Amino acid sequence: MADDCGVSSNGYLNHEAAKKAAHVAGFGEERVAELRSLLGKLDGDALRIVGVGAGAWGSVFIALLQDAYGALRDSVQMRIWRRGGKEVDKPTAEHLFEVINAREDVLRRLIRKCAYLKYVEARLGDRTLYADEILRDGFCLNMIDTPLCPLKVVTNLQEAVWDADIVVNALPSTEIRPVFQQIGRFWRERRTMPVIISLAKGVEAALQPIPHIITPTQMIVDTTGVPAENVLYLGGPNIAAEVYHREYANARICGSEKWRKPLAHFLRQPHFVVWDNSDLTTHEVMGGLKNVYAIGAGMVGALTNESATSKAVYFAHCTSEMIYITHLLAEQPERLAGPLLADTYVTLLKGRNAWYGEKLAKGELKIEMGDNISGKGMIQGVSAVEAFHELLRQPSLSVMHPELNKPVAPVELCPILRALYKILIQRNAPPSAILQALRDENMYDPRHRIEMDEVYIPQLLRGKETPFKRVLSNGPIILDPVPGGY
């Protein structure tokens, strides 16, 4: 019987572990050495990688690195932080017990560690399990059906991050500010700042001094004082459990060239291809945007008994709105079309936001229950609906309506976004209101909203006043974007 390092009971590596060790030795040491050199690590000082937040994707991400580099214990150390004290309810404990017994490798590992009995007791209701406790055994509370490798879990935030070289942010965007404000205080005395990879897909809207978007990486820079070049975003069309099951996946890491290229090399695995890109903010915003429309997709599927025709109509409308919004945000929106649609597609197929919309429409969840759902975690699309609606309703961002030939707030050209805002934020419309947003009573082709040659508003991402030219279908208009409109 082999232990967690792949060493058999008689002291020899078994065949599969030997192959894995040889594979790690072939590529891992070179990649680790490259990062250690860039970070100025001394001989004998391990590269310290810390995950902050232990949702499904955050846990999988650290587990992937543990699987890839865990054998290089003298060179790399990995740990993950999550808050302590989160109880595992009895139905989840019962299901967890079934998962354990269905997997011989997991069952043997827990018996070998003398950890199996506590899951028996939890199933019987004689013991309470905690989320950080089961994560040490390789179980993420938001993804019980996918056992991971055991992880080193730390519940004290200062202990987790104070000496980190690379921090992986997997917090929901709504939790980033308070947590990273604490982290920033821990780092005040540091001589060098760490590199941060953010996995978060959410946005905030700021209206002062002018309307603009605030992204998770910007929140991290603001709260910690870490140089912007040290903060990167990684995202892609991936489902966490499927990535851990070694299904082929890809992602982009976006940010400064100094870090994105070596990090892409470090993170890349045979089944997980990582590309690099310089356009951090726009990719980050698009990662939040697709969650908005995924909720609506789940609603439409449930309300129409999974009608392929209805879902196709929704897809046509929602992609039209998303492309329109990218034209507001990006100077070269065509570069985003592929990644945005791919990420949207996988989220509509199997993401938690689509699942949430489906459950709301079926009445199995109530909006009053909030957007942090047991077994799923934070539904990021809800806060993103509010942020994008708040931003795009500002009159200072007015665009020319293609049919009415008069200035309107951009949100007026986004009927699905408006419907979702009424359902989820104002709570004055039922989920069925999403279907009304699809009905074309005025023979209005949604394509018209993206027929403008250029509708780029730089201030939305830059957060500062910038004179710009906007070319509409009926001719050019020169605008100075100041609060209050034209």
Side-chain angles (χ1 to χ4, degrees):
M1 185 181 296
D3 66 14
D4 293 335
C5 302
V7 180
S8 63
S9 56
N10 60 9
Y12 293 95
L13 285 171
N14 62 38
H15 179 64
E16 288 302 318
K19 285 170 60 179
K20 180 178 178 180
H23 178 63
V24 168
F27 79 89
E29 292 179 355
E30 175 188 345
R31 296 180 179 187
V32 170
E34 180 183 18
L35 275 184
R36 286 172 56 87
S37 176
L38 283 171
L39 288 163
K41 302 294 291 183
L42 301 175
D43 291 342
D45 188 11
L47 177 68
R48 295 175 178 85
I49 301 174
V50 178
V52 175
W57 185 216
S59 298
V60 162
F61 196 83
I62 296 300
L64 288 174
L65 295 178
Q66 178 67 40
D67 284 342
Y69 298 104
L72 304 175
R73 294 183 177 180
D74 294 335
S75 302
V76 185
Q77 294 178 1
M78 275 167 274
R79 55 188 181 265
I80 187 168
W81 172 82
R82 71 153 296 136
R83 293 184 178 90
K86 175 71 174 179
E87 294 186 3
V88 178
D89 60 34
K90 190 171 184 293
T92 303
E94 292 172 347
H95 182 54
L96 181 55
F97 184 76
E98 295 173 359
V99 171
I100 291 169
N101 285 279
R103 291 278 300 269
E104 182 178 348
D105 58 330
V106 176
L107 179 60
R108 288 182 177 276
R109 171 164 58 81
L110 292 175
I111 291 174
R112 187 166 63 248
K113 292 176 60 179
C114 301
Y116 180 66
L117 182 59
K118 67 185 179 185
Y119 292 97
V120 176
E121 294 174 340
R123 173 182 175 271
L124 297 173
D126 296 335
R127 189 187 197 283
T128 299
L129 294 172
Y130 295 91
D132 57 289
E133 176 185 17
I134 67 172
L135 188 59
R136 291 184 177 92
D137 293 329
F139 301 104
C140 172
L141 186 59
N142 294 344
M143 197 176 55
I144 292 296
D145 291 311
T146 304
L148 309 173
C149 63
L151 299 174
K152 181 178 180 180
V153 183
V154 179
T155 56
N156 182 289
L157 184 59
Q158 183 172 5
E159 178 187 346
V161 304
W162 75 274
D163 61 349
D165 300 302
I166 298 174
V167 174
V168 178
N169 168 48
L171 294 168
S173 60
T174 50
E175 296 184 19
I176 289 174
R177 285 191 186 279
V179 173
F180 274 88
Q181 281 173 348
Q182 294 183 61
I183 292 174
R185 290 195 289 271
F186 303 148
W187 287 346
R188 282 177 183 168
E189 304 303 320
R190 285 187 63 142
R191 288 177 294 177
T192 60
M193 284 297 183
V195 175
I196 300 173
I197 303 171
S198 178
L199 311 180
K201 295 182 176 181
V203 298
E204 291 181 355
L207 304 183
Q208 300 297 331
I210 57 175
H212 64 282
I213 285 174
I214 302 175
T215 66
T217 59
Q218 291 165 347
M219 297 178 206
I220 292 170
V221 171
D222 291 345
T223 54
T224 63
V226 173
E229 72 167 5
N230 282 32
V231 185
L232 301 97
Y233 164 73
L234 184 139
N238 306 306
I239 300 297
E242 295 181 352
V243 174
Y244 196 72
H245 284 149
R246 300 300 192 267
E247 295 186 27
Y248 181 77
N250 60 56
R252 281 179 170 81
I253 187 162
C254 306
S256 65
E257 185 171 359
K258 175 182 178 181
W259 293 113
R260 71 174 190 268
K261 290 186 178 295
L263 283 172
H265 188 222
F266 179 76
L267 298 173
R268 187 176 296 127
Q269 299 184 29
H271 68 285
F272 185 60
V273 176
V274 180
W275 301 315
D276 70 278
N277 191 285
S278 62
D279 195 353
L280 179 152
T281 304
T282 316
H283 277 86
E284 195 175 13
V285 172
M286 294 306 103
L289 181 61
K290 55 90 180 178
N291 287 334
V292 168
Y293 293 93
I295 295 177
M299 291 177 178
V300 170
L303 292 167
T304 63
N305 197 27
E306 300 300 326
S307 161
T309 299
S310 296
K311 289 195 289 186
V313 170
Y314 177 82
F315 190 73
H317 280 262
C318 81
T319 52
S320 172
E321 285 190 24
M322 293 169 73
I323 292 170
Y324 168 66
I325 293 172
T326 64
H327 278 242
L328 297 174
L329 298 170
E331 191 169 11
Q332 296 178 306
E334 65 280 355
R335 293 183 178 180
L336 297 168
L340 175 62
L341 292 179
D343 208 353
T344 301
Y345 179 67
V346 75
T347 304
L348 266 57
L349 284 177
K350 206 173 179 180
R352 75 180 68 177
N353 288 277
W355 172 89
Y356 178 71
E358 175 190 352
K359 295 300 182 182
L360 284 179
K362 289 181 176 180
E364 296 174 16
L365 288 176
K366 301 295 183 184
I367 293 175
E368 293 75 14
M369 296 169 64
D371 52 6
N372 196 338
I373 307 300
S374 176
K376 288 291 182 179
M378 184 65 69
I379 307 301
Q380 292 282 74
V382 177
S383 61
V385 166
E386 184 171 20
F388 279 108
H389 186 278
E390 185 67 18
L391 187 74
L392 298 180
R393 75 180 184 88
Q394 299 304 311
S396 61
L397 305 177
S398 294
V399 298
M400 192 65 68
H401 194 290
E403 294 284 335
L404 303 178
N405 279 330
K406 69 175 185 179
V408 296
V411 76
E412 295 301 317
L413 299 177
C414 302
I416 294 176
L417 178 59
R418 296 204 316 273
L420 289 170
Y421 184 78
K422 292 176 182 177
I423 297 167
L424 299 171
I425 308 303
Q426 292 182 321
R427 301 181 182 181
N428 60 9
S432 58
I434 196 72
L435 298 180
Q436 187 62 37
L438 302 182
R439 296 194 172 101
D440 186 9
E441 297 178 354
N442 298 313
M443 298 298 291
Y444 174 68
D445 187 344
R447 175 182 170 82
H448 289 170
R449 69 170 62 88
I450 56 172
E451 283 185 342
M452 308 169 188
D453 294 322
E454 185 180 327
V455 66
Y456 175 46
I457 307 179
Q459 72 183 69
L460 285 175
L461 296 186
R462 296 177 183 174
K464 59 183 180 181
E465 296 183 17
T466 308
F468 63 91
K469 181 178 180 181
R470 186 187 299 161
V471 181
L472 304 179
S473 57
N474 61 345
I477 300 175
I478 308 299
L479 301 171
D480 287 319
V482 294
Y486 296 128

